[in-house]
Amino acid sequence: MIELHQLTKHHRAGDVETTALDAIDLSIEAGEYVAITGPSGCGKSTLLGLLGLLDRPSAGRYRLQGEDVAAKSARELAALRRGRIGFVFQSFNLVDEMSVHENVRLALRYGGLPGKAQHARVAEVLERLGLAHRARHHPSQLSGGQQQRVAIARAIAARPALLLADEPTGNLDSAHGHEVLRLLRELNDEGTTLVMVTHSAEHAALASRTIRLLDGRVLVDAHAQDLA
Amino acid sequence: MKDLVLDALRDLRGRAHAIAAAMGGLTIALAACLLVALFALALAAPDPDVADPDRAIMLDFRSNLPGEASSWFGQAPLAFGPLLKARHAPLDLVSRMAYGGMEFERDGRVHPALLLAVDPELVDVLNLHGLAGDLRATLRGHDTIAITADLLHQLWGELPPSQAIGRRVQSHGAWYTVAAVLPDTDPRSPLWGEPPLVGRAMVMVGFDSPANTLTADEREGILAANGHVFARLRPGTSVDQVAGWMHDAFVSSPGYPALPAAWRTNREAAFFRGVTLRDLPFEGARQAQRWQAVAVVGAASMLLLALAAFNTMNLQAAHLLRRQRETALRRSLGADGRHLLQLWTLEAALPLLLSALAALLVAWWTAPALANWLKLPAQLPIVDPIPLRALAGLALAIGVLLVLTVTLPASIALRRAPAAALQGRTASEGPWGRRTRQTLLGLQLGGALLLLSVAGVLALQQAHMLHADRGFTTHGRLVLSMETDPDHIPSLAAFTDALSHDAAITHWAFSADQPAAGTQGWREVQTSAGGRAVDSRLSLVSPGFFDTYGMSLLAGSPRLAEGEARVVIDARTARLLGFADPQTAVGALLRGGGSLMQPGAELRRVVAVVRDAILESARDAALPHSFLLTDKPMWNLTAAGPDPAALHDALDAAWRTHGLAVPYELQWADDQLAGVYRQESQMTTTVAVISLLAVGVAMTGAWALVADTLRRRRTELVLRRLHGANEAAIVQQVLSEFGMPLLAAAAAALPLAGWIGWRYLQGFQDRIAPGSCIAGALATALAATLAVTLLAALRHVRLALALQPIEMLA
């Protein structure tokens, strides 16, 4: 599903240039559950941003479902993201001025689904995630765990083939964190490719494959059975 | 679309206060620009009844006598009507119009009316139509007249126009038959005139009617602009050719060889041109002044709009910066640039549209009151209906504002990759954001400073004009003006006796002119026994005039004598006539009474010399003055007394008891003087109001800058406190943000304001000293701008002073 070849990303601030990713070679198959770990500043979030087409590599090739995306325009990338990639963030990134229902529907607004169908799909995912009774509430009225579930609902509303999670439990207590991880596992079991960035070795162990980064390079890339 | 609208409304609700502040300034600025546009369109509109006003023309004329500078008269010698016809000039419907007056007595009261004596062809040139009767036949008749609805109402109340046809009326001893009734004149018509005390009462007669009292000389004279001549251009001709046709008719007329050789040898005695009825609203000295005022107020309004627009742009830029996370989120969910631009455009468009609607409402509601303040005719349509061009201009302004408001912030927002914002790393504006904000504030402060400075110069010149020493006093002088035929004023002995015996009245005098208001008047050449000739202005006054107006006598005594014409001259006239001092001039004989600036043969004895009198407006050069004494009652009577209220009551009571049954009005001479400069005064007031609004808008910008400074440098300020900075140091840090904008504002605005002020003052012959006036106005404006900026920053300076080092632990 995902092929990275010599993928590189530099960050420039004034005269200073730092290398966030250094010639990464990586393949991820459809349906895999991959955890990306590493110390702070190793390039985990940068890699996730590139995978999600939220940023452009400085060099290298990125093929998503057989399509070379590195040279695509912003408009084409947006079209690619629609319905194919879902995101779950550490800070939830919900819009507080919108209700839960509207936050989830935001994921469907830019596709071709008619309005009625959008509302029906939103109701469906909220029901699945146990948030139907909170549909009219605003994010500030929910607990952290509930907010993250809303974010997950938004991420899966368009039935993406790829789900990218960046420290999804980072702002949650352990109980809520486990709940979120269980949900993500469920989604992966249903066939969604899941790539999760995490600091926690315990959470990384839940994945079927772990990629460890250091200084922008892949240090370890092993399947769970190999690490066991 | 519905989702977009809901998103936009949600966003607006979230920042309602900031948007309301920006919208308020924008609404006022848009309303100001819209009002200027509405009034300009109304004033520029030609008569709507005239078909193809580009082909209907009026002849214009300017004399070029040796030693005299004149401007276009807005009239022409009536002789050009028959002269152009005789020469078969390619003009159709050549028609003359002369002015006069009629008086109709009814129920013991006299009803004056403006008289227009016209050729019947004028009906077709101006597409005149009547409410009743046959207008063309009326103008061909001998003793038939057409009256306006207003005059009909005065004479016969609510009588239907058709029932007025055939009625007989008498004026100045002659009988006339009403054969047509005209609607009241449209203010846009070339026939429009609303003389004081006459209003819209008008009579129209044929040019050859006995009611037209012009002499043969006056009808055939080629150098006195004494009426209007209209015509229609034939196909294939242009208005630029009219000057040539008039010139040819002038030099080949029988009167041309009779002109003094000095006027026409190797020079032109006069200049000519045609003016289309479309261009007529722009011609003439008075119109030029009016359009100058429109231009000044229009420029000030546009500047105010620019300042308000900067606030809106600033607001939008800051708002998009704060929404980086949401923008990145939408992009992560598949929104592309087009989707986001639609959303941001709608968010920016909604307040702009609301501002436009509010501005339209404000303009529509205030226009009538403003028209009244400007003393425009009540019948002039300004907002009924609102012209499409004004609406189109408003739409265009909103469109331009929308593009400016959205484009730059949107392009910056879309260039940023969404990843960083989603990870919580929002980008700051960077140094360019701060510089942009400072630049915009600099422009706002500069605009406010410019407007304040110009308003100051206008106000100082206005005060100078009203209080300058004119050689006579207007304060406490009450003028009674009557509307009647000056050749038919009966004896007013009982009235003047009453004045002389009333303790509230210390002095009174008749005059043909109103000294405070009559800036233009009759001119004659006065020639001394030694042959010195002076072109002076001549006023007809009664002997008490000089005491009444507090004019200092330098020599002699203004007294009448039987069998001898007597004149009082001012010191300037005496000097120009060659008298060594005022005493020497007393007793001298002068010759005058000539027409068209020619020496006369009428002998007049100088009986007194007064200080230099300035009756001209501040825009014109002061002329030498002579005052011809008479004991006849005249149109205007001025009275002076110690108690203004008692003076008013006494004069009014005396007139009601002993005066004529004619329309009259009482007006203070100070008000008459103010009326001369009414347009300047209105322009000054308007610019001052706009400048205050600009200051308000600039304050909003200053407020936003200091709030942003505090937000951006909060950590730094706390650190400075932590390391021992005192209050003064903190205040200096916050206020240093304004240093550059203020410097830039002063550097740009002050020289420009100085230049504008100097140019304005050059339009006056009598003006305040440009150097001190302009310097004073600029200094005051600068001080005011500084004070206002400090005031705007006060709250946030206090917040900055309240920051404590313990906040570092937060």
Side-chain angles (χ1 to χ4, degrees):
Chain A
M1 184 187 207
I2 291 172
E3 284 178 47
L4 307 180
H5 178 69
Q6 294 289 292
L7 201 72
T8 304
K9 178 68 181 176
H10 302 301
H11 289 304
R12 179 174 283 281
D15 293 331
V16 178
E17 186 177 87
T18 51
T19 302
L21 289 178
D22 189 0
I24 300 272
D25 288 309
L26 193 56
S27 290
I28 297 176
E29 301 300 325
E32 274 200 89
Y33 182 170
V34 179
I36 301 178
T37 67
S40 288
C42 70
K44 306 189 295 296
S45 296
T46 304
L47 177 58
L48 209 71
L50 289 172
L51 289 177
L53 307 179
L54 298 177
D55 204 351
R56 290 182 183 282
S58 304
R61 220 170 50 229
Y62 174 11
R63 296 178 80 85
L64 175 65
Q65 290 181 318
E67 219 176 322
D68 191 340
V69 300
K72 288 206 180 289
S73 70
R75 194 168 179 180
E76 287 165 327
L77 291 179
L80 277 174
R81 279 195 295 275
R82 259 176 244 150
R84 276 208 233 186
I85 305 177
F87 296 89
V88 180
F89 303 99
Q90 177 178 357
S91 57
F92 320 138
N93 279 334
L94 299 176
V95 182
D96 198 55
E97 288 80 22
M98 293 181 180
S99 68
V100 164
H101 185 100
E102 286 161 351
N103 265 285
V104 176
R105 199 165 80 89
L106 202 55
L108 303 171
R109 288 260 300 269
Y110 305 106
L113 210 59
K116 269 192 179 172
Q118 289 180 24
H119 288 289
R121 175 63 183 157
V122 169
E124 185 190 329
V125 292
L126 286 179
E127 184 67 46
R128 176 181 174 169
L129 293 173
L131 292 167
H133 62 298
R134 297 289 203 175
R136 288 187 190 283
H137 287 81
H138 285 255
S140 57
Q141 296 172 303
L142 308 179
S143 69
Q146 287 173 325
Q147 288 187 53
Q148 194 59 293
R149 277 193 282 153
V150 173
I152 293 172
R154 182 182 62 197
I156 65 172
R159 296 193 176 89
L162 174 64
L163 193 60
L164 302 174
D166 187 358
E167 302 274 9
T169 62
N171 284 350
L172 302 175
D173 57 47
S174 58
H176 286 120
H178 285 153
E179 188 190 338
V180 163
L181 289 174
R182 183 189 60 75
L183 274 169
L184 293 176
R185 177 97 234 179
E186 252 180 50
L187 293 168
N188 178 246
D189 289 342
E190 289 166 8
T192 305
T193 307
L194 176 60
V195 179
M196 181 178 71
V197 163
T198 180
H199 266 118
S200 164
E202 181 193 345
H203 293 165
L206 296 174
S208 59
R209 177 178 168 195
T210 300
I211 297 171
R212 189 180 201 70
L213 298 181
L214 181 67
D215 295 335
R217 291 203 178 107
V218 174
L219 191 65
V220 173
D221 182 357
H223 288 87
Q225 60 266 29
D226 298 334
L227 291 171
Chain B
M1 188 64 196
K2 182 184 159 192
D3 289 327
L4 270 180
V5 171
L6 287 173
D7 279 349
L9 287 173
R10 186 183 303 116
D11 172 73
L12 293 180
R13 272 200 301 270
R15 48 186 186 124
H17 288 119
I19 287 181
M23 264 179 62
L26 202 57
T27 298
I28 292 171
L30 283 171
C33 292
L34 188 57
L35 281 167
V36 172
L38 288 171
F39 279 94
L41 286 171
L43 292 171
D47 185 348
D49 286 336
V50 175
D52 198 1
D54 294 308
R55 304 298 295 175
I57 63 163
M58 189 189 78
L59 305 189
D60 203 359
F61 176 87
R62 178 160 70 96
S63 63
N64 184 34
L65 304 184
E68 180 200 331
S70 74
S71 46
W72 293 104
F73 292 148
Q75 291 186 322
L78 291 163
F80 276 96
L83 282 175
L84 287 171
K85 280 184 187 171
R87 291 187 60 80
H88 304 290
L91 293 167
D92 292 326
L93 304 173
V94 178
S95 41
R96 300 163 293 179
M97 185 173 84
Y99 291 96
M102 291 183 103
E103 288 179 349
F104 305 99
E105 192 171 324
R106 182 144 180 94
D107 299 329
R109 293 214 63 80
V110 173
H111 299 274
L114 178 67
L115 172 70
L116 300 182
V118 308
D119 288 317
E121 290 86 347
L122 192 67
V123 174
D124 294 310
V125 177
L126 300 183
N127 196 22
L128 301 174
H129 55 274
L131 298 175
D134 185 337
L135 184 58
R136 280 191 190 78
T138 303
L139 298 177
R140 290 200 172 94
H142 179 69
D143 65 346
T144 47
I145 65 173
I147 65 174
T148 55
D150 182 83
L151 182 57
L152 183 153
H153 179 76
Q154 286 187 40
L155 294 176
W156 298 303
E158 297 304 318
L159 186 74
S162 56
Q163 292 184 25
I165 306 301
R167 291 206 171 201
R168 299 275 288 168
V169 289
Q170 188 184 29
S171 172
H172 299 147
W175 284 94
Y176 302 92
T177 304
V178 176
V181 177
L182 298 166
D184 291 331
T185 313
D186 189 299
R188 295 165 291 186
S189 166
L191 304 182
W192 168 260
E194 212 178 43
L197 303 178
V198 174
R200 291 176 291 165
M202 189 181 77
V203 176
M204 195 177 279
V205 300
F207 195 82
D208 296 321
S209 163
N212 183 2
T213 55
L214 286 178
T215 65
D217 282 344
E218 287 168 333
R219 296 181 194 216
E220 292 163 12
I222 60 168
L223 211 56
N226 54 2
H228 294 296
V229 180
F230 297 92
R232 275 212 167 260
L233 293 168
R234 285 194 191 150
T237 61
S238 81
V239 68
D240 299 325
Q241 296 172 280
V242 172
W245 303 332
M246 289 179 72
H247 177 268
D248 292 344
F250 181 71
V251 300
S252 57
S253 69
Y256 184 74
L259 297 177
W263 292 4
R264 52 188 170 83
T265 306
N266 298 323
R267 66 189 304 281
E268 299 291 344
F271 298 104
F272 320 93
R273 66 175 182 173
V275 179
T276 67
L277 294 196
R278 174 153 339 256
D279 291 338
L280 210 52
F282 299 96
E283 297 298 333
R286 196 162 173 275
Q287 298 285 35
Q289 260 186 274
R290 166 180 277 173
W291 287 108
Q292 181 196 50
V294 169
V296 167
V297 173
S301 302
M302 295 282 285
L303 183 55
L304 181 65
L305 181 61
L307 303 190
F310 291 153
N311 269 349
T312 310
M313 282 163 22
N314 237 349
L315 190 74
Q316 183 68 3
H319 181 57
L320 278 188
L321 184 69
R322 282 196 288 275
R323 287 169 77 191
Q324 290 178 70
R325 200 174 58 89
E326 185 194 326
T327 301
L329 176 66
R330 287 180 185 267
R331 291 175 77 183
S332 76
L333 295 171
D336 59 19
R338 183 177 56 92
H339 293 118
L340 293 168
L341 264 178
Q342 280 176 348
L343 175 64
W344 296 333
T345 302
L346 196 58
E347 284 172 1
L350 283 176
L352 286 176
L353 284 171
L354 282 173
S355 290
L357 280 171
L360 202 55
L361 201 62
V362 167
W364 175 80
W365 186 59
T366 58
L370 207 51
N372 189 41
W373 179 66
L374 292 169
K375 298 215 183 330
L376 295 177
Q379 304 82 9
L380 185 68
I382 297 170
V383 290
D384 290 316
I386 294 182
L388 277 176
R389 278 185 285 177
L391 294 174
L394 184 61
L396 180 65
I398 295 300
V400 168
L401 278 174
L402 185 61
V403 168
L404 289 175
T405 304
V406 174
T407 309
L408 185 60
S411 64
I412 295 171
L414 288 173
R415 269 207 301 270
R416 291 207 174 103
L422 289 168
Q423 289 154 13
R425 288 180 282 121
T426 51
S428 71
E429 287 177 310
W432 283 108
R434 174 172 161 259
R435 283 183 202 130
T436 303
R437 196 153 297 162
Q438 284 186 318
T439 304
L440 289 179
L441 178 64
L443 289 169
Q444 287 178 318
L445 289 173
L449 189 53
L450 176 67
L451 288 171
L452 276 175
S453 302
V454 170
V457 171
L458 297 182
L460 286 171
Q461 173 63 11
Q462 183 72 14
H464 171 76
M465 290 189 297
L466 291 177
H467 298 106
D469 181 8
R470 314 180 72 76
F472 63 97
T473 306
T474 55
H475 185 63
R477 271 64 181 172
L478 186 61
V479 181
L480 184 149
S481 304
M482 66 193 88
E483 184 56 45
T484 189
D485 185 347
D487 296 328
H488 292 87
I489 301 179
S491 168
L492 289 172
F495 171 62
T496 53
D497 274 345
L499 298 181
S500 299
H501 289 98
D502 196 315
I505 299 172
T506 54
H507 301 284
W508 59 267
F510 284 105
S511 60
D513 301 321
Q514 295 171 351
T519 57
Q520 312 257 330
W522 181 254
R523 285 165 63 176
E524 269 188 15
V525 172
Q526 308 281 329
T527 312
S528 68
R532 286 240 197 156
V534 171
D535 168 17
S536 79
R537 196 165 143 195
L538 188 77
S539 303
L540 213 56
V541 303
S542 61
F545 179 85
F546 307 96
D547 284 336
T548 304
Y549 275 101
M551 297 175 78
S552 301
L553 278 171
L554 299 178
S557 175
R559 286 204 198 94
L560 283 166
E562 279 291 327
E564 185 178 65
R566 292 188 157 196
V567 69
V568 175
I569 61 176
D570 71 351
R572 184 185 293 112
T573 307
R575 285 192 301 274
L576 291 171
L577 285 170
F579 297 109
D581 53 55
Q583 283 74 19
T584 314
V586 175
L589 275 175
L590 303 178
R591 288 184 185 276
S595 62
L596 290 177
M597 309 307 296
Q598 294 298 293
E602 200 178 292
L603 281 174
R604 298 151 178 176
R605 190 170 300 281
V606 177
V607 293
V609 178
V610 293
R611 274 180 56 216
D612 289 349
I614 304 174
L615 272 65
E616 289 66 42
S617 90
R619 288 187 180 272
D620 300 316
L623 293 172
H625 276 279
S626 310
F627 301 90
L628 195 60
L629 300 182
T630 177
D631 58 0
K632 289 183 185 169
M634 282 170 280
W635 275 339
N636 301 291
L637 178 123
T638 306
D643 181 348
L647 173 66
H648 188 282
D649 291 342
L651 185 55
D652 194 29
W655 182 260
R656 285 176 192 275
T657 309
H658 305 290
L660 307 174
V662 297
Y664 74 99
E665 70 171 353
L666 290 168
Q667 196 176 21
W668 294 100
D670 273 344
D671 293 338
Q672 291 180 337
L673 182 63
V676 171
Y677 302 113
R678 192 180 69 232
Q679 269 188 171
E680 283 87 350
S681 168
Q682 288 167 346
M683 184 173 72
T684 302
T685 304
T686 309
V687 171
V689 167
I690 293 176
S691 69
L692 289 176
L693 291 171
V695 165
V697 169
M699 269 186 77
T700 311
W703 174 286
L705 178 67
V706 76
D708 175 68
T709 301
L710 194 60
R711 182 185 56 78
R712 201 166 28 84
R713 298 177 64 186
R714 189 185 187 87
T715 304
E716 177 204 335
L717 292 172
V718 172
L719 275 170
R720 286 179 183 268
R721 278 290 216 185
L722 187 71
H723 289 93
N726 60 13
E727 274 83 4
I730 297 297
V731 169
Q732 189 260 332
Q733 283 297 313
V734 176
L735 293 183
S736 64
E737 289 291 314
F738 293 99
M740 233 3 171
L742 278 169
L743 268 173
L750 293 179
L752 183 59
W755 179 75
I756 292 173
W758 180 81
R759 282 294 304 265
Y760 175 73
L761 291 175
Q762 292 309 300
F764 295 91
Q765 295 291 327
D766 179 15
R767 55 180 176 252
I768 200 167
S772 55
C773 164
I774 293 172
L778 297 189
T780 307
L782 186 60
T785 306
L786 271 170
V788 155
T789 308
L790 285 173
L791 194 64
L794 191 60
R795 179 176 177 266
H796 289 92
V797 166
R798 286 165 62 183
L799 285 175
L801 287 172
L803 291 174
Q804 298 300 325
I806 199 165
E807 291 197 25
M808 288 309 299
L809 296 177

